[in-house]
Amino acid sequence: MDHAAAVEFPSPADPRTRALRKEALALLDLPFNDLLFRAQTIHRENFDPNKVQRSTLLSIKTGGCSEDCGYCPQSARHPAGVENEPMLAVDTVVEAAKAAKANGASRFCMGAAWRGPKARDLEPVLDMVREVKKLGLETCCTLGMLKDGQAEQLRDAGLDYYNHNLDTAPEFYGEIITTREYRDRLDTLERVRGAGIHVCSGGIVGMGESRAERAGLLAQLAGLDPQPESVPINQLVQVEGTPLAGTDAFPWTEFVRTIAVARILLPKSFVRLSAGRTQMHEAVQALCFLAGANSIFYGEKLLTTGNPEVARDDALFAALGISPA
Ligand code: SAM
Ligand code: DTB
Ligand code: SF4
């Protein structure tokens, strides 16, 4: 890959990224009602405001990860009580995908606790992708950094989306992860895009970053050209034993603001209200939908932590008059 060309954009120093960052911060600073009105207006210009897409997650390889991401219970370096488990069998994954489809999910996302897949790791994942695709579900994987050729292998197996988050602003990144660089993340996104796979990339808020740093994350995401089709906004799930456990509670207003600015700066992307819903009042989730979130993770579990019960989400959708996208 042409590394020099990749660094050009969206580098934090790039004038367009800097302008986007200024714009993102000005939006985050707006009075709450003005911000929500703008976000909902843009949402309506681009999407049906009463439709929300649902993806179900499955951890196909849990724990024992070599990386040191400060938020993550799956890092082997953090005593968070998550055991290193072998990869799931293809049949087990297919059964979980069938159940997700029966519940109404349209996409099935397979996650692995890897820095990136080794060649021998990828083979069974390709089988999983082929089998899940055959069920008529959209397929998504999140396996860490990809090497040359791996994105093409995944595409050929039928992968529709690859999730790889920028996680936070470039200047805050080093506080959270030391075993990888921001540049590595952008390189993987370029490989995914280059293979013609839809890009799913977002971040985590509530890790102790400043509002300006949240603007920095949103600017980096909005500066990707083309913009990601899917943008998960996660609120940190604080897991005992991880370095970020004990971080100050994150104000719900700030979470809704982040969703709203993502909607405004990435008008055609699906913005996913992602991790953190178990800790979030349903009224706040409703405000996230008003702010332009139009996707959720659906099913009782994220990767290792909890997510609202399906019946509860169904009831929330019914109460809000929301139907599946
Ligand atoms: N190992 C691969 C990687 O890091 O790219 C894929 C799986 S990793 C668990 C996927 C994403 O989950 C991370 O990039 C992060 O954004 C999110 N995540 C992990 N732990 C989280 C937590 N405690 N709270 C919120 N999001 C989290
Ligand atoms: C994303 O942005 N959030 C999901 C998915 N992509 C892979 C993961 C959230 C993980 C939350 C912590 C856990 O369950 O281990
Ligand atoms: Fe490993 Fe991914 Fe967790 Fe980082 S986020 S520790 S790479 S599983």
Side-chain angles (χ1 to χ4, degrees), residues 57 73 142 163 165 232 234 275 297 302-305:
L57 273 170
T142 181
N163 166 249
N165 291 335
N234 298 276
F297 285 124
L302 294 167
L303 292 172
T304 65
T305 67

Side-chain angles (χ1 to χ4, degrees), residues 132-196:
V132 172
K133 183 84 179 164
K134 274 192 215 157
L135 301 176
L137 282 161
E138 290 180 319
T139 53
C140 176
C141 278
T142 181
L143 315 170
M145 295 191 278
L146 296 180
K147 296 189 232 346
D148 274 341
Q150 292 185 320
E152 286 74 11
Q153 284 180 280
L154 286 161
R155 175 201 61 206
D156 293 344
L159 190 72
D160 297 304
Y161 288 80
Y162 194 82
N163 166 249
H164 197 63
N165 291 335
L166 290 182
D167 273 351
T168 191
E171 72 274 23
F172 192 63
Y173 186 82
E175 305 281 315
I176 305 297
I177 302 153
T178 69
T179 50
R180 272 187 284 179
E181 289 177 14
Y182 212 74
R183 181 68 257 156
D184 298 325
R185 297 198 176 247
L186 294 169
D187 286 350
T188 290
L189 293 181
E190 289 205 358
R191 291 192 164 100
V192 171
R193 183 59 83 197

Side-chain angles (χ1 to χ4, degrees), residues 221-237:
L221 292 169
L224 294 170
D225 186 20
Q227 293 190 331
E229 282 75 14
S230 165
V231 180
I233 303 293
N234 298 276
Q235 177 164 319
L236 173 69
V237 180

Side-chain angles (χ1 to χ4, degrees), residues 258-324:
T258 308
I259 295 270
V261 177
R263 166 50 63 228
I264 294 168
L265 295 183
L266 296 117
K268 296 194 186 303
S269 306
F270 277 80
V271 174
R272 183 170 305 110
L273 161 54
S274 302
R277 289 199 299 122
T278 309
Q279 291 77 35
M280 207 177 281
H281 195 288
E282 288 186 343
V284 176
Q285 298 182 48
L287 280 172
C288 289
F289 297 132
L290 189 68
N294 58 351
S295 170
I296 57 165
F297 285 124
Y298 184 64
E300 282 77 15
K301 210 165 167 198
L302 294 167
L303 292 172
T304 65
T305 67
N307 197 44
E309 301 279 321
V310 160
R312 204 163 166 153
D313 278 342
D314 291 350
L316 178 62
F317 275 27
L320 299 175
I322 286 174
S323 55

Side-chain angles (χ1 to χ4, degrees), residues 198-239:
H198 296 307
V199 171
C200 174
S201 188
I204 311 177
V205 295
M207 299 194 291
E209 75 286 344
S210 64
R211 187 180 264 184
E213 286 160 345
R214 280 189 288 285
L217 165 67
L218 291 163
Q220 288 295 138
L221 292 169
L224 294 170
D225 186 20
Q227 293 190 331
E229 282 75 14
S230 165
V231 180
I233 303 293
N234 298 276
Q235 177 164 319
L236 173 69
V237 180
Q238 297 198 15
V239 182

